[in-house]
Amino acid sequence: EVIINYRHGLPVITLTLPTRRERCQFTVKPVVTTVGAFLQDVQKEDKGIERAEVFATDGSKVSDATLMEVLLMNDFKLVINNTAYSVSPPVKDKLSSEHATEMEDIKSLVHRLFVALHLEDHQIRKERELLQKLDHLKGELLPLEQMKARIMDSADAKTSRLLWVGLALMSTQGGALAWLTWWVYSWDIMEPVTYFITYGSAMAFYAYFILTKQDYIYPHAKDRQFLHYFYRKSKKQRFNVEQYNKLKDDLAEAEESLRRLRQPLHLRLPIQEISDKD
């Protein structure tokens, strides 16, 4: 037989252990203790218990995550090994509305006191963790930043050379057309040539739009060529762009978290704490 009594407001469950056939009492905290924790305590008390489960009156198994407070509201079956016990918890006297309100006020007051006493320590500890994380991220980013700077300088130099080569080719083309027009042939002969050159340039710009889905705007074209050289150089030097971007995102997130955390810290911390961190 399983008996449940209330002592000092806490339920005491008395049952017979199968191995030694002796009665044992288990005091549970219904608000925080779960069914799984209660069954584990029973099995720890008697190593001969191989099976310990709780079932509702309709035969459905009660989850181990269910609080004992919920379980003790209704009748249930406790199965230990092959023995099933029908348990009928006693009806607990309900608190009056005024007493219940007072208990809620006390709980709220205890919670506020706990927050007031431990929030500052928690913020200081969290700030130190963020500072350590920032130092670690900056240490990992330092060699990547140096490598990225070298790659960017190389890509920028190649892009600038490409722009100057384009200007030189355009100047050469203009000079050649002028030479053919005034010294070799006449404008009547060169006019169709210049037309087809212009038409070919328009076709080239249209092909650029089809391939890139962008208009041929000089700053955009320059940036696109810069990225092409940058990623090609990164691949040759084994520079992991994805890892670098992830570290930068983590660094920005940590800095933002530290900025939000330090706003209440400077309002709540003693002067010596702020001075140490500054």
Side-chain angles (χ1 to χ4, degrees):
E1 184 181 4
V2 178
I3 301 174
I4 300 178
N5 295 318
Y6 281 90
R7 295 179 185 174
H8 308 290
L10 295 177
V12 179
I13 303 175
T14 305
L15 54 87
T16 303
L17 299 177
T19 302
R20 298 186 297 271
R21 306 301 300 174
E22 61 183 9
R23 304 287 285 173
C24 185
Q25 294 182 348
F26 296 89
T27 302
V28 298
K29 299 177 180 179
V31 179
V32 296
T33 305
T34 62
V35 173
F38 167 68
L39 296 178
Q40 288 180 359
D41 292 339
V42 174
Q43 289 179 315
K44 288 180 181 178
E45 192 66 26
D46 190 344
K47 301 300 182 180
I49 299 177
E50 299 178 355
R51 179 192 178 196
E53 295 176 321
V54 175
F55 293 89
T57 54
D58 59 357
S60 59
K61 186 177 184 300
V62 179
S63 172
D64 291 342
T66 304
L67 292 175
M68 291 296 293
E69 183 180 24
V70 178
L71 178 67
L72 296 177
M73 291 180 179
N74 302 295
D75 297 346
F76 61 91
K77 290 184 179 180
L78 176 62
V79 177
I80 298 179
N81 290 342
N82 296 324
T83 306
Y85 301 93
S86 297
V87 184
S88 297
V91 179
K92 186 178 180 182
D93 296 335
K94 294 185 178 179
L95 297 175
S96 63
S97 59
E98 295 181 357
H99 192 188
T101 304
E102 292 178 359
M103 291 298 295
E104 291 297 328
D105 293 341
I106 292 174
K107 290 180 181 179
S108 178
L109 178 60
V110 171
H111 175 71
R112 289 198 299 268
L113 288 174
F114 178 82
V115 172
L117 293 174
H118 296 84
L119 179 60
E120 186 173 308
D121 295 336
H122 171 73
Q123 289 177 330
I124 296 174
R125 184 171 61 254
K126 189 66 176 177
E127 184 189 20
R128 290 171 180 169
E129 291 177 359
L130 288 173
L131 290 174
Q132 292 176 357
K133 184 178 180 181
L134 283 174
D135 293 339
H136 178 70
L137 290 173
K138 289 179 180 179
E140 291 186 351
L141 275 171
L142 181 60
L144 296 179
E145 290 283 5
Q146 296 174 351
M147 184 181 296
K148 180 194 172 187
R150 293 194 298 268
I151 295 174
M152 289 184 65
D153 292 340
S154 177
D156 187 66
K158 288 185 178 181
T159 305
S160 299
R161 284 198 298 268
L162 182 63
L163 294 177
W164 283 106
V165 168
L167 178 61
L169 292 177
M170 292 178 66
S171 301
T172 303
Q173 183 188 55
L177 291 176
W179 178 69
L180 292 175
T181 301
W182 283 303
W183 281 277
V184 180
Y185 304 109
S186 63
W187 176 246
D188 295 335
I189 297 175
M190 295 302 300
E191 184 178 8
V193 177
T194 57
Y195 169 77
F196 284 110
I197 291 176
T198 304
Y199 186 75
S201 300
M203 291 180 61
F205 295 150
Y206 186 68
Y208 177 86
F209 171 76
I210 293 175
L211 294 175
T212 62
K213 303 299 186 295
Q214 294 178 353
D215 293 334
Y216 189 81
I217 302 175
Y218 291 115
H220 295 174
K222 178 179 178 295
D223 294 340
R224 186 180 183 84
Q225 194 62 37
F226 172 82
L227 290 176
H228 172 72
Y229 287 138
F230 178 81
Y231 279 98
R232 190 170 67 178
K233 189 74 172 178
S234 300
K235 187 176 181 180
K236 288 183 179 179
Q237 296 192 6
R238 301 181 183 277
F239 177 74
N240 194 334
V241 180
E242 294 181 357
Q243 180 186 4
Y244 174 81
N245 291 334
K246 184 179 182 304
L247 290 175
K248 291 290 287 185
D249 293 340
D250 293 342
L251 180 64
E253 182 180 356
E255 289 177 346
E256 178 63 20
S257 300
L258 184 62
R259 185 189 66 80
R260 292 198 305 267
L261 187 66
R262 276 179 168 175
Q263 289 179 355
L265 278 177
H266 280 276
L267 296 176
R268 298 172 62 90
L269 279 180
I271 296 177
Q272 60 270 19
E273 287 286 349
I274 300 177
S275 301
D276 293 343
K277 288 173 176 51
D278 290 338

